Amino acid sequence: MLSFYYCKKAEIFDAANDRMVPAAVSTGAMDSLLITVSRDYVHKSGDPVEILFYDPIQGLATCRCMLTSPLNVDRQNRSFRCQVLEIISRNQRRQDIKISLTSKVTVTLERPDRTLEAPATLQNISAGGVFLVSDLELKPG
């Protein structure tokens, strides 16, 4: 079975409302998988759900899961223990076809208080994004 140790983000398909519900992913005791969602998400105990995991290692993985042991985290959020029952599909974005190229570009980062620009070199393009190298110092997120 897939390990989602590095996964931090997921979406649960809410069949009752025909929508995707954003969720945070973390690991609990003994590497159990925890899914945290808004309290307005209603889950019927015993019903499996489809969850789309956004994992930096595994890629996009859609799984059929069982959610148990609801725990109110705070006034807005609730956590469930998640057991992956079946992997429905996987899409490894790192395996996208890449088009190699070398091109000089300018990276522009617009912030509320200022705009930063820096030269960069574009290395390749794929369906999942671009690989570029720049001296612009950015923080994760």
Side-chain angles (χ1 to χ4, degrees):
M1 198 53 72
L2 290 179
S3 168
F4 293 108
Y5 184 78
Y6 295 102
C7 186
K8 301 296 178 208
K9 178 181 170 185
E11 291 182 331
I12 301 173
F13 179 65
D14 180 3
N17 297 305
D18 196 33
R19 66 181 178 132
M20 296 301 283
V21 176
V25 180
S26 59
T27 52
M30 298 178 5
D31 291 331
S32 62
L33 197 57
L34 298 175
I35 302 293
T36 303
V37 295
S38 171
R39 277 197 185 187
D40 65 357
Y41 170 70
V42 178
H43 174 67
K44 191 174 176 183
S45 183
D47 287 348
V49 295
E50 275 190 26
I51 300 179
L52 174 61
F53 291 95
Y54 294 86
D55 188 273
I57 307 291
Q58 306 295 334
L60 300 176
T62 302
C63 301
R64 191 169 63 87
C65 302
M66 188 64 70
L67 300 179
T68 60
S69 307
L71 174 67
N72 293 330
V73 176
D74 55 36
R75 290 183 177 188
Q76 290 86 26
N77 299 302
R78 176 178 293 139
S79 286
F80 293 90
R81 199 173 297 278
C82 176
Q83 178 187 3
V84 176
L85 303 173
E86 172 188 18
I87 300 163
I88 298 170
S89 68
R90 277 185 59 200
N91 179 7
Q92 179 50 272
R93 294 177 294 176
R94 292 181 184 196
Q95 295 172 350
D96 288 343
I97 297 172
K98 293 174 179 51
I99 299 170
S100 293
L101 60 94
T102 302
S103 180
K104 299 290 183 187
V105 296
T106 300
V107 175
T108 303
L109 177 64
E110 294 183 13
R111 296 202 171 164
D113 58 334
R114 64 185 173 171
T115 299
L116 301 172
E117 288 191 351
T121 303
L122 191 60
Q123 301 277 330
N124 70 44
I125 298 175
S126 72
V130 299
F131 172 49
L132 64 97
V133 178
S134 172
D135 290 334
L136 189 60
E137 291 185 29
L138 300 173
K139 295 178 184 175

